[in-house]
Amino acid sequence: MVGAYIIAQFQFGPDQASSLAGQVDALFLTLLAITGTILALVAVTILYCLARYRRNAQVDRTPIPDSSLPLETAWTVIPMFIFLGMFGWGATLYFKKNQSPSNATEIYVIGKQWMWKVQHLQGKREINELHVPVGRTIRLIMTSQDVIHDFFLPAFRVKQDVLPGTYTTQWFAGTKTGSFPIFCAQYCGTYHANMIGQVIVQTPQDYEEWLSSGTTEPAMALSGANLFRSLGCSGCHAVNASVRAPLLNNLYGSPVPLQNGQVVTADERYIRDSILQPELQIAAGYDPIMPSFKDRVSEEELTQLISYIKSLSKSTDR
Amino acid sequence: MINGLEVIEVENITRRGSYLTDTGLGSWLFTTDHKRIGLLYLFTIIFFFSIAAVAAAAMRLNLLTPRGDLVQAETYNKLFTLHGVLMVWFFLIPSIPSVLGNFLVPLMIGARDLAFPKLNLLSWYLFVIGGLVALYALLVGGVDTGWTFYTPYSSTYSNTHVVIMALGIFISGFSSILTGLNFIATIHKMRAPGITWFRLRLFLWSLYATSVILVLATPVLAILLCLLAVERVFGVGVFNPALGGDPLLFQHLFWFYSHPAVYIMVLPGMGVVSELVSAFSRKRVFGYKFVAFASMAIALLGFLVWGHHMFVAGQSVYSAATFSILSYLVAVPSAIKVFNWTTTLYRGSIRLDTPMLYAVGFIGLFAAGGMTGLFLAALGIDVHVHDTYFVIAHFHYIMVGGMVTAFMGGLHFWWPKITGRLYPEFFGKLAAIIMFIGFNLTFFPQFLLGYLGMPRRYHAYPDQFQVYNVLSTAGASILGVGYLMPLIYLIWSVKYGKKAGPNPWDAKGFEWETDSPPPTHNFEVIPVQIEDPYNYPPIS
Ligand SMILES: [Cu+2]
Ligand SMILES: [Cu+2]
């Protein structure tokens, strides 16, 4: 009884709750097997020598050469190839982790000392909780209001620093329902250890039900459209506006030629920067007359504006 | 050379007594004798180590319970900052280089002192001043940023004494630079006749490589700390995006220094272990040239891998891939060393005295630490374990399992030379074994904790992590006993230990040819290296 209780306290691996988890664990276990074998071989050799060649032992000590090029080459080149394999496998997973699949469900996350604020496109907000439907690919668009945080989902084997002043993204797909921890993994001040939350993976029906339950806000794009009007953006960015400013239809995801000759892709970061620091990247063919909205919009409003501008793009059905 | 030999004849000093004969306080505080300065460093780093160890003990006790009942979150954060800052800059970095290196470099190359003895004393003063400033930051309230000082937390949001602490580290950095310069100049210019580059002891090769890093990397840290202070004090936007800065710039500069600094904290240990393995198996280290070049390769490649600390910080996948592959590359020379040490034992004549126990412990723990580094370099795994206890365990295997173990081994090996007395062998072995067990019990569970997902720098944690935290704390208490023992018996031995004689280990090397403790000017006659430094007679 007591023994079983004690054993139950030991947990050897975290939950596997995402499509990536099994793949990361497979690489981990493979490395464990390889390095464990090498470590065991080295240890056994050392212990064998220590025992056999102790000072008083009468054993064959005919000197061997002090160096051997073939041996040195072997234990330089063989590890190198093994390492190359580890690199390749690890990098493959990383590329996968950093490439959001298309048609993901987007959710905005804002970190601040010491909580996570989440808003779903449909308008629903939550704090320190993240409801997602099982099986769907979720793309998180994250930023911080103050210091650097890190959105860490151990059961999904992903984490990503959440930086102030820009967006970082990460994606995952839950493979089973249940609730799984969110930790802040980047030290962010006094209550860093309390910046903990739950990902709640639900069946699609439960998720829909949850979305429409309780107090609901307008969809993010709708709030964004209202802001777009009230902040005066539409005064310039409209077909019949009196000044010449680019129309924002189909902006998201498309290449934008800049005045300095560069071409950048209009992603969330670009739209964000265009609103906060318009002077940095001027769209080619336009006068730099757009004012900065740096101190006039909050991080939440910014995400709403962005999701509105994104909703103007047909290429993506977000 | 004829000229040089003549000078040596003239300088032929025949003073009786040792470097320890004078006892006045002034004779210590104004000494330019490298051996005394080495000892001054020894006392100083033991002092800082003790404070840092108490901080660690308090943290481990706090982590016995999931809610962190012992101290408040603010206090906990200050404790780990203090622990990190003191251990890194005021213990590990100066440990082997400034204590054993100072003591041994001139003795090993047959010189009477380092190239710049006064500069050497100045380094110690800078080190002490830097340390006192850091302690002042502690006394006026402490710092809660972690030893990594990530911005914008450290530059804008923290309400603690960041600038004072940074100043302390800044000052002590100059001590590092001067020590590095001194070693480089000494090793280049003051080798006794016959010491060609390939007759240079492996300990010196490793210190040479370390010195290169000290001289090239430390200035970057100094610049970084200045920029941090400028942003914090004057609000000039460098790192804080709200002021127009870039927080990742801080991380790039920080790790451009701190990754090479990791090698400052392990290369000298590798050098010590090469000496120990050779002396206690009475053989030349297998593949001498490969071991020597591996030190240099580590020092140089170590400058190219800083980005592996930032795989989840938002860098591009291509730079991440580059840093990953370079990190694997820098692991190769370390692997070469492990294989060479192991092969040295083959057909040796091995004695397992205390220093050798430490050397063997080093090889095992360093190998384990290095192997877990391979996990961290694998991008897909690092995403999961970055900033968790897995990383804590990994670098403690290198820093404590590696460097501290090597330092203890070296201290025991050269203790008879330093003091003229033997330490008690039984207690020496016992302490080495206790440390090994305590160390593994403390840090092995942290690998499991990390893979389970427990982030680092957590004052409190979910219940599921408790078992491993309890094990780790239990291990830490054993480790503590292991550290206390040598403190007691080594001090005891200074007075009551058996007289050592010049060469108690029957080892090769100039330092063993002079008295124990050595005379002030090290050698009556400057020795000449006529053969390989590890030319042990064939074993019958
Ligand atoms: Cu945090
Ligand atoms: Cu590093």
Side-chain angles (χ1 to χ4, degrees), chain A residues 114 148-150 184-189 192 195:
Chain A
W114 289 276
I148 302 177
H149 302 277
D150 184 290
C184 175
Q186 183 63 266
Y187 176 67
C188 55
H192 164 58
M195 204 166 153

Short mmCIF file of all heavy atoms in Angstrom, two decimals, chain A residues 114 148-150 184-189 192 195, ligand 1:
data_model
loop_
_atom_site.label_atom_id
_atom_site.label_comp_id
_atom_site.label_asym_id
_atom_site.label_seq_id
_atom_site.Cartn_x
_atom_site.Cartn_y
_atom_site.Cartn_z
N TRP A 114 1.03 39.68 -13.33
CA TRP A 114 1.45 38.33 -13.54
C TRP A 114 0.23 37.54 -13.93
O TRP A 114 -0.33 36.80 -13.13
CB TRP A 114 2.08 37.79 -12.25
CG TRP A 114 3.42 38.43 -12.02
CD1 TRP A 114 4.60 38.04 -12.55
CD2 TRP A 114 3.72 39.57 -11.20
NE1 TRP A 114 5.63 38.87 -12.12
CE2 TRP A 114 5.12 39.82 -11.30
CE3 TRP A 114 2.95 40.44 -10.42
CZ2 TRP A 114 5.75 40.87 -10.64
CZ3 TRP A 114 3.60 41.48 -9.77
CH2 TRP A 114 4.99 41.69 -9.88
N ILE A 148 9.44 40.51 -20.44
CA ILE A 148 9.37 39.28 -21.24
C ILE A 148 8.75 38.17 -20.39
O ILE A 148 9.12 37.98 -19.24
CB ILE A 148 10.77 38.86 -21.71
CG1 ILE A 148 11.41 39.98 -22.51
CG2 ILE A 148 10.69 37.57 -22.53
CD1 ILE A 148 12.82 39.67 -22.97
N HIS A 149 7.78 37.49 -20.94
CA HIS A 149 7.22 36.29 -20.32
C HIS A 149 7.45 35.13 -21.28
O HIS A 149 8.06 35.30 -22.33
CB HIS A 149 5.72 36.46 -20.07
CG HIS A 149 5.40 37.64 -19.19
ND1 HIS A 149 5.45 37.59 -17.82
CD2 HIS A 149 5.02 38.91 -19.51
CE1 HIS A 149 5.12 38.77 -17.33
NE2 HIS A 149 4.86 39.59 -18.33
N ASP A 150 6.96 33.96 -20.90
CA ASP A 150 7.09 32.83 -21.81
C ASP A 150 5.90 31.91 -21.63
O ASP A 150 5.59 31.49 -20.51
CB ASP A 150 8.39 32.07 -21.54
CG ASP A 150 8.60 30.94 -22.54
OD1 ASP A 150 7.85 29.94 -22.50
OD2 ASP A 150 9.50 31.08 -23.37
N CYS A 184 4.50 30.24 -16.91
CA CYS A 184 5.37 31.27 -17.46
C CYS A 184 6.79 30.78 -17.22
O CYS A 184 7.19 30.56 -16.09
CB CYS A 184 5.17 32.62 -16.79
SG CYS A 184 6.36 33.82 -17.40
N ALA A 185 7.53 30.58 -18.29
CA ALA A 185 8.86 29.99 -18.14
C ALA A 185 9.97 31.04 -18.11
O ALA A 185 11.11 30.72 -17.81
CB ALA A 185 9.14 28.99 -19.25
N GLN A 186 9.65 32.28 -18.43
CA GLN A 186 10.71 33.30 -18.41
C GLN A 186 10.52 34.14 -17.15
O GLN A 186 9.44 34.69 -16.93
CB GLN A 186 10.61 34.18 -19.65
CG GLN A 186 11.71 35.23 -19.76
CD GLN A 186 13.09 34.62 -19.87
OE1 GLN A 186 13.78 34.44 -18.85
NE2 GLN A 186 13.50 34.27 -21.07
N TYR A 187 11.60 34.25 -16.37
CA TYR A 187 11.49 34.98 -15.12
C TYR A 187 11.00 36.42 -15.39
O TYR A 187 11.58 37.14 -16.21
CB TYR A 187 12.84 35.01 -14.42
CG TYR A 187 12.80 35.84 -13.16
CD1 TYR A 187 12.05 35.43 -12.07
CD2 TYR A 187 13.49 37.04 -13.08
CE1 TYR A 187 11.98 36.20 -10.92
CE2 TYR A 187 13.42 37.81 -11.94
CZ TYR A 187 12.66 37.39 -10.87
OH TYR A 187 12.59 38.15 -9.74
N CYS A 188 9.92 36.80 -14.67
CA CYS A 188 9.30 38.08 -15.00
C CYS A 188 9.01 38.93 -13.77
O CYS A 188 8.20 39.84 -13.82
CB CYS A 188 8.01 37.83 -15.77
SG CYS A 188 6.88 36.74 -14.89
N GLY A 189 9.67 38.60 -12.64
CA GLY A 189 9.47 39.43 -11.46
C GLY A 189 8.86 38.65 -10.32
O GLY A 189 8.76 37.42 -10.37
N HIS A 192 6.39 35.61 -10.61
CA HIS A 192 6.64 34.76 -11.77
C HIS A 192 6.05 33.35 -11.57
O HIS A 192 5.42 32.79 -12.46
CB HIS A 192 8.15 34.72 -11.98
CG HIS A 192 8.66 33.64 -12.86
ND1 HIS A 192 8.27 33.49 -14.15
CD2 HIS A 192 9.58 32.66 -12.61
CE1 HIS A 192 8.93 32.45 -14.68
NE2 HIS A 192 9.71 31.93 -13.78
N MET A 195 2.30 32.86 -12.20
CA MET A 195 1.74 33.17 -13.51
C MET A 195 1.42 31.85 -14.21
O MET A 195 1.97 31.51 -15.24
CB MET A 195 2.74 34.00 -14.31
CG MET A 195 2.09 34.83 -15.38
SD MET A 195 3.25 36.04 -15.98
CE MET A 195 2.64 36.27 -17.64
CU CU C 1 7.30 34.68 -15.65
#
